[in-house]
Amino acid sequence: MAKSFSLSLYPWVYKAQHQPDGSWQEAFEAKVHLAPEAEAALPHEGRMALLARRNSFPDLPLVNYSTQYGFSVFEGLKAFPQKDGSLKLFRPDENARRMRRSMEGLKMPGFPEELFVLAVKEVVRRNKELGFYPRYNPEWEKDGFLSGHAVYIRPFSYTEPGIGLDLSHHPWVVIITTPVGAYFEGPNNKAVTTDRIRATPKGTGWIKCSANYVIPTLVKKEANEQGYMEAIFLDAREQRYVEEGSSCNIFFYLKNGTLVTPELGDTILPGITRKSVLALATHMGIPTEERKISIDEVLSEAKEVFVTGTAAGISYIESITHEGKTAVFNDGKMGEVTRTLLLTLKGIQYGAKEDPFGWMVPVE
Ligand SMILES: *Cc1c(COP(=O)(O)O)cnc(C)c1O
């Protein structure tokens, strides 16, 4: 599933470093920039160089436990343009909690949740003040906000310098933002299972850490080369139960009317979209189950299949191929339950639908 999602850093970034006394020293920094209109008017190369602002972190150590050994966690969340011109964040408290837990999972000091939410708001607010934010476009209403733009926020940890293998005692937390455009469908929505393993019991599968992305990236590339847009991971022990998509959670709407998603454990990433979809489905009167679900059950019982994550939102899967057998869902088209959940979620995020759970948080 392709997506217009490239790095064109907004100027304001946030940095905080853990101090020996346990506090965090915070700083906001504005990277080189022109006014948004002046940047847009630059010739292509000048514009890319400026927008990327890629070499703009000379003050962080290059040789450290993140770059050498993968001691790095991250988050991804979005701020959505609203009709009144404001921006609203989707459940930032959830990202704050997961970031802290991820850092603690890698045995580094966890970043305080209140600081996380305040810093995210302030980075987005400062960039907006400079004019760096997507403007609300009423055209988006026509397709239920599937074409909507947003600010993508990427907080990540980064360790102190080091070459000998060690834990991070004084990490930084950096927050950068970049615009994300409309979601584009890939050439198809076919998925294929892989016999590679994403996460092992007692491993780091539940932690949003960079290291977990190596295998999925290889697998997704392999799936793409075979003509599939998505890869599906099975459990490490039996290669029988479905775990996740390449980097997203997975749902099955069964013929019996139940919405099933694999239960959380140490091999599944606790997605915030996953949690939200479960809440929405329950709210809509759809019975939900978090449990183990075998690939065989999926192939014979699923009516609709979709994957969830902040980047793609909710994406339907038209078919799954496993060991040469292919099951097609809903004639290869997006199903009704998937569509309803997708439009409800987008509607809440862009402020067009009631937010019964109080998920949206104003930036200002
Ligand atoms: C981030 C992520 C997800 C989706 O989580 P959201 O909070 O919904 O964005 C799912 N699976 C993996 C492996 C992830 O890293």
Side-chain angles (χ1 to χ4, degrees), residues 221-246:
K221 186 76 189 162
E222 289 161 359
N224 291 165
E225 283 163 3
Q226 296 170 50
Y228 300 96
M229 289 314 290
E230 181 59 302
I232 292 175
F233 285 99
L234 304 177
D235 74 287
R237 284 213 168 100
E238 297 182 64
Q239 282 282 287
R240 179 168 169 217
Y241 298 103
V242 179
E243 299 235 301
E244 287 202 51
S246 60

Side-chain angles (χ1 to χ4, degrees), residues 15 21 54 69 83 90 97 139 157 170 185 202-203 230 248 251 259 270 274 281 285 306-307 320 327:
K15 250 182 348 194
D21 68 0
R54 283 206 173 101
Y69 307 118
K83 207 167 196 160
F90 182 69
R97 196 167 72 96
E139 285 292 309
S157 71
H170 300 296
E185 299 273 308
K202 310 278 181 193
E230 181 59 302
C248 36
F251 282 82
L259 185 66
R274 174 189 179 280
F306 59 87
V307 290
I320 297 178

Side-chain angles (χ1 to χ4, degrees), residues 98 198 208 213 244 247-249 269 271-273 308-310:
R98 191 170 62 189
R198 187 192 85 90
K208 206 167 178 71
Y213 273 72
E244 287 202 51
S247 54
C248 36
N249 297 114
L269 198 288
I272 296 160
T273 319
T308 65
T310 296

Side-chain angles (χ1 to χ4, degrees), residues 16-37:
Q17 190 181 19
H18 185 265
Q19 302 296 306
D21 68 0
S23 67
W24 290 79
Q25 191 178 331
E26 301 182 275
F28 289 91
E29 200 179 304
K31 301 293 181 188
V32 56
H33 67 280
L34 307 173
E37 308 74 40

Side-chain angles (χ1 to χ4, degrees), residues 68-359:
Q68 308 304 304
Y69 307 118
F71 272 85
S72 171
V73 310
F74 68 94
E75 273 304 321
L77 69 162
K78 285 177 176 174
F80 297 88
Q82 309 289 305
K83 207 167 196 160
D84 64 5
S86 68
L87 292 171
K88 284 187 180 171
L89 297 160
F90 182 69
R91 312 191 75 178
D93 49 316
E94 290 285 338
N95 296 91
R97 196 167 72 96
R98 191 170 62 189
M99 178 91 177
R100 180 181 57 72
R101 295 187 61 218
S102 292
M103 293 176 81
E104 290 170 358
L106 296 193
K107 299 195 193 294
M108 57 176 104
F111 192 55
E113 296 173 36
E114 323 76 64
L115 282 194
F116 179 102
V117 175
L118 287 172
V120 164
K121 283 184 183 174
E122 184 62 11
V123 170
V124 175
R125 195 193 65 73
R126 287 187 185 218
N127 281 310
K128 181 167 187 276
E129 206 167 68
L130 290 181
F132 287 88
Y133 69 107
R135 310 298 190 271
Y136 184 91
N137 185 343
E139 285 292 309
W140 301 341
E141 294 164 13
K142 294 184 183 159
D143 64 3
F145 298 94
L146 301 190
S147 59
H149 294 205
V151 180
Y152 183 81
I153 302 147
R154 167 57 59 86
F156 60 98
S157 71
Y158 199 77
T159 86
E160 65 269 39
I163 184 78
L165 198 48
D166 199 358
L167 297 172
S168 176
H169 302 289
H170 300 296
W172 279 271
V173 166
V174 180
I175 304 178
I176 64 97
T177 57
T178 181
V180 273
Y183 168 81
F184 293 113
E185 299 273 308
N188 66 60
N189 285 6
K190 299 183 204 296
V192 62
T193 57
T194 175
D195 56 4
R196 291 215 203 215
I197 307 296
R198 187 192 85 90
T200 54
K202 310 278 181 193
T204 57
W206 62 278
I207 300 173
K208 206 167 178 71
C209 61
S210 312
N212 288 347
Y213 273 72
V214 176
I215 297 291
T217 304
L218 299 177
V219 161
K220 183 143 185 179
K221 186 76 189 162
E222 289 161 359
N224 291 165
E225 283 163 3
Q226 296 170 50
Y228 300 96
M229 289 314 290
E230 181 59 302
I232 292 175
F233 285 99
L234 304 177
D235 74 287
R237 284 213 168 100
E238 297 182 64
Q239 282 282 287
R240 179 168 169 217
Y241 298 103
V242 179
E243 299 235 301
E244 287 202 51
S246 60
S247 54
C248 36
N249 297 114
I250 191 159
F251 282 82
F252 308 98
Y253 182 62
L254 303 184
K255 291 170 184 164
N256 71 9
T258 311
L259 185 66
V260 180
T261 191
E263 66 193 344
L264 295 180
D266 57 8
T267 59
I268 294 189
L269 198 288
I272 296 160
T273 319
R274 174 189 179 280
K275 184 175 182 177
S276 306
V277 163
L278 285 169
L280 285 177
T282 303
H283 193 66
M284 285 159 46
I286 300 170
T288 63
E289 289 176 2
E290 296 175 72
R291 63 167 167 88
K292 282 194 191 329
I293 180 162
S294 71
I295 184 67
D296 291 336
E297 180 178 358
V298 166
L299 296 180
S300 68
E301 300 305 319
K303 209 163 123 183
E304 299 181 24
V305 180
F306 59 87
V307 290
T308 65
T310 296
I314 295 175
S315 308
Y316 81 100
I317 298 292
E318 62 174 271
S319 65
I320 297 178
T321 301
H322 173 66
E323 294 179 346
K325 278 180 300 184
T326 298
V328 176
F329 311 107
N330 198 51
D331 292 328
K333 295 189 289 290
M334 191 190 298
E336 269 322 296
V337 169
T338 308
R339 184 179 308 278
T340 306
L341 287 166
L342 172 58
L343 293 179
T344 307
L345 182 64
K346 292 273 174 195
I348 291 172
Q349 291 174 330
Y350 286 94
K353 290 212 157 86
E354 191 208 343
D355 172 17
F357 303 100
W359 284 339

Side-chain angles (χ1 to χ4, degrees), residues 31-74:
K31 301 293 181 188
V32 56
H33 67 280
L34 307 173
E37 308 74 40
E39 289 193 358
L42 287 173
H44 185 72
E45 286 88 284
R47 188 164 159 191
M48 292 322 289
L50 192 54
L51 290 186
R53 302 179 229 281
R54 283 206 173 101
N55 295 319
S56 56
F57 294 90
D59 45 346
L60 289 177
L62 179 62
V63 182
N64 71 350
Y65 310 125
S66 298
T67 57
Q68 308 304 304
Y69 307 118
F71 272 85
S72 171
V73 310
F74 68 94

